[in-house]
Amino acid sequence: METRKGSISVLMLPWLAHGHISAFLELAKRLTEKNFFIYFCSTSINLNSIKKMLPEKYSPSVQLVELHLPSSPELPPHLHTTNGLPPHLMGVLKIAFEESKPFFSHILNTLNPDLIMYDFNMPWVSASASLLNIPSVLFFSFGALFTSFAFRFMENPDASIQLHEFEKNALKAMLEFSTNGVKDADLFCESVKLSRDVVLMKTSTEIEEKYIDHLSTLFTKKFQPVGPLVQKIVDKDEDTEVMRFLHKKDESSVVFVAFGSEFFLSNEEREEIAYGLELSRVNFIWVVRFPVGEKTTVEEALPVGFLNRVGDLGLVVEGWAPQAKILTHSSTGGFVSHCGWNSVLESIKFGVPIIAMPMHLDQPLNARLVEEVGVGVEVKRDETGRLDRKEIAKVVRRIVVEKHGMEVRNKARELSEKMAMKEVEETDEVVEEMVKLSGKRK
């Protein structure tokens, strides 16, 4: 497929995680509406999911391009994604992704786009682009607060930068993760340095302006917010068990519990959450997930008798639930979230208060932002870093039942309106930056 005449072509290569892919895809949709043509590159297993997320109207302007990763008995093609990937294979997937460089170079030479957009852990993409004099730009699907703290931590891990122990440990584990002897922290830094003139960020000045400004000053490079990039909802009224459950409940009486597509609760965490929900006596929908290949049933994974004891108060769903549709339903009054960045922005966008239960990576710092801007409350861990069922029940009731929940809901709705007003302006600024960059190619 050829680029439309007069349009700017952009080759996008996100990391192989759902949260990163969905952010890139939403930005791709917005750019096509501004006369851009997108080559969207990922593995076959991810492209199959992308096809379902891409409405027909975008098909003429978005071409899906397959990236071949080397396969092995340990990592067959259906595991060329982080979605459901057993945690011990994450390093194997990163190595396979690195080994796809020659094939990506072939794609680059064949398509010869005007611009390349790459992710936080792949400076080699920018290096390949520079050989062809193609401008490349980094797109962070992380928040600005997390990114700001990450760079400060990299400069001096021992410095007192107001990080709690749980936040510090999560940040350290993420940045020091090593692939072929190269730390993610080094990839992180190099990716920023190689980005041409500007770095794009999935965030809004309405919630992170001071952190965006700090990053721009730190790197003497413009950090440009692109808005929350929350996917539009279709088929809102479909008849499913989840929607039927919500229709029966009172307004703002249900808490939605979900921890994303890449994190799997330990038995201890699952048990504390189960007993916390039971103690709260609040209606809930809980999405329980297991890694690919793990032969465990929901009944086996939950405390004995839990489902019978909660009865009609709760609905446990295995694997997946329509998160956006649940969050926009009038019966939903709170979101027990791991605070993955996409989930945080989605919750704010839909005006739903967050019961923050961060687990790892950027999530503890995202939870800090949730409290800082007033759209949620974090479930505090005990002195050993463990979750406590009584604390979980207390925070759930505080948000869904008590007066404080109304204050948080009002703040979430207020921020939602402000972000929506800013989003058009931020998209226009992104387009302006992309046009400038494409014009610099000689």
Side-chain angles (χ1 to χ4, degrees):
M1 184 184 296
E2 294 184 358
T3 306
R4 290 176 302 175
K5 186 176 180 180
S7 65
I8 295 171
S9 60
V10 182
L11 173 59
M12 291 185 167
L13 181 65
W15 168 234
L16 306 177
H18 174 75
H20 294 247
I21 289 168
S22 61
F24 272 72
L25 189 60
E26 287 308 306
L27 181 55
K29 292 176 186 176
R30 284 158 174 74
L31 290 177
T32 61
E33 292 166 0
K34 302 292 184 178
N35 201 37
F36 283 72
F37 182 88
I38 308 297
Y39 296 109
F40 202 96
C41 188
S42 195
T43 55
S44 177
I45 185 69
N46 281 328
L47 293 182
N48 289 338
S49 299
I50 290 166
K51 287 173 187 175
K52 300 172 186 176
M53 298 161 62
L54 193 65
E56 186 66 29
K57 69 175 183 176
Y58 293 106
S59 295
S61 303
V62 180
Q63 179 180 346
L64 303 182
V65 180
E66 184 175 347
L67 179 70
H68 292 284
L69 269 60
S71 293
S72 65
E74 189 177 23
L75 195 76
H78 73 274
L79 292 180
H80 290 174
T81 176
T82 65
N83 190 2
L85 185 73
H88 72 279
L89 290 178
M90 185 62 73
V92 180
L93 179 63
K94 287 191 173 185
I95 290 171
F97 188 70
E98 289 273 323
E99 291 175 350
S100 72
K101 290 179 187 178
F103 190 78
F104 177 76
S105 293
H106 172 71
I107 291 173
L108 198 56
N109 275 281
T110 303
L111 298 179
N112 193 30
D114 298 311
L115 285 169
I116 294 177
M117 198 174 291
Y118 63 100
D119 217 326
F120 79 105
N121 58 349
M122 49 184 83
W124 51 270
V125 170
S126 186
S128 298
S130 66
L131 295 175
L132 298 174
N133 199 32
I134 301 173
S136 56
V137 61
L138 171 63
F139 175 31
F140 269 133
S141 49
F142 298 116
L145 179 147
F146 162 74
T147 306
S148 180
F149 270 89
F151 282 115
R152 290 169 67 189
F153 185 81
M154 282 186 269
E155 287 176 355
N156 189 352
D158 299 321
S160 175
I161 53 172
Q162 300 173 318
L163 283 177
H164 303 307
E165 200 62 29
F166 182 56
E167 294 171 331
K168 187 180 292 185
N169 290 339
L171 193 55
K172 184 177 181 181
M174 179 178 179
L175 295 173
E176 293 190 354
F177 190 98
S178 179
T179 305
N180 284 337
V182 180
K183 292 181 179 179
D184 275 2
D186 297 327
L187 297 175
F188 210 90
C189 290
E190 194 65 15
S191 293
V192 174
K193 291 175 184 175
L194 291 176
S195 187
R196 184 81 71 89
D197 298 346
V198 64
V199 174
L200 305 181
M201 298 201 79
K202 180 179 172 172
T203 189
S204 171
T205 52
E206 290 298 333
I207 56 173
E208 294 201 290
E209 185 172 17
K210 67 180 179 181
Y211 300 110
I212 296 167
D213 290 345
H214 172 257
L215 289 167
S216 296
T217 301
L218 181 65
F219 286 96
T220 60
K221 184 175 294 191
K222 185 175 182 181
F223 277 69
Q224 172 62 50
V226 301
L229 298 181
V230 173
Q231 186 177 358
K232 293 177 181 177
I233 300 173
V234 293
D235 301 324
K236 187 175 180 180
D237 297 321
E238 65 179 305
D239 183 30
T240 64
E241 184 183 21
V242 167
M243 301 315 289
R244 289 193 295 272
F245 179 88
L246 287 168
H247 291 336
K248 294 177 185 176
K249 302 301 180 181
D250 294 336
E251 184 175 350
S252 300
S253 69
V254 179
V255 67
F256 176 53
V257 187
F259 294 89
S261 60
E262 297 175 32
F263 181 79
F264 304 100
L265 297 168
S266 67
N267 291 335
E268 181 185 15
E269 289 165 339
R270 197 183 301 116
E271 182 175 291
E272 290 303 312
I273 292 167
Y275 282 120
L277 291 171
E278 186 178 341
L279 283 171
S280 76
R281 301 308 295 167
V282 166
N283 297 308
F284 66 87
I285 296 173
W286 183 7
V287 181
V288 176
R289 290 176 54 84
F290 308 107
V292 172
E294 187 171 306
K295 297 179 180 178
T296 305
T297 66
V298 168
E299 289 76 13
E300 292 169 341
L302 297 174
V304 176
F306 170 76
L307 293 174
N308 287 331
R309 290 195 301 272
V310 297
D312 292 338
L313 276 179
L315 175 64
V316 178
V317 181
E318 183 177 351
W320 179 87
Q323 180 165 303
K325 294 175 186 176
I326 293 170
L327 292 177
T328 55
H329 197 283
S330 61
S331 295
T332 303
F335 182 14
V336 176
S337 172
H338 64 317
C339 290
W341 189 235
N342 282 354
S343 290
V344 168
L345 291 175
E346 202 166 44
S347 201
I348 296 174
K349 173 79 173 179
F350 299 136
V352 178
I354 298 170
I355 295 114
M357 208 178 293
M359 296 294 173
H360 64 163
L361 303 174
D362 59 329
Q363 297 158 18
L365 283 164
N366 294 342
R368 173 188 286 232
L369 182 73
V370 162
E371 288 203 324
E372 182 180 299
V373 300
V375 296
V377 176
E378 183 175 353
V379 174
K380 303 303 180 187
R381 294 168 180 262
D382 67 19
E383 60 277 4
T384 66
R386 294 174 179 169
L387 293 170
D388 176 75
R389 61 191 70 177
K390 291 181 180 178
E391 173 70 7
I392 292 170
K394 182 181 78 173
V395 178
V396 167
R397 288 192 62 84
R398 187 179 180 194
I399 290 295
V400 182
V401 178
E402 297 171 6
K403 182 180 177 182
H404 181 74
M406 182 58 71
E407 297 170 3
V408 178
R409 265 191 293 282
N410 289 339
K411 182 63 177 179
R413 287 167 184 159
E414 177 190 325
L415 267 181
S416 172
E417 291 169 3
K418 288 181 177 179
M419 282 202 312
M421 290 170 60
K422 197 75 174 178
E423 198 166 2
V424 173
E425 179 186 328
E426 287 169 339
T427 299
D428 288 342
E429 289 172 356
V430 171
V431 169
E432 186 179 335
E433 293 295 334
M434 297 300 95
V435 170
K436 282 182 191 174
L437 282 177
S438 66
K440 290 184 178 181
R441 189 179 184 191
K442 304 297 183 182

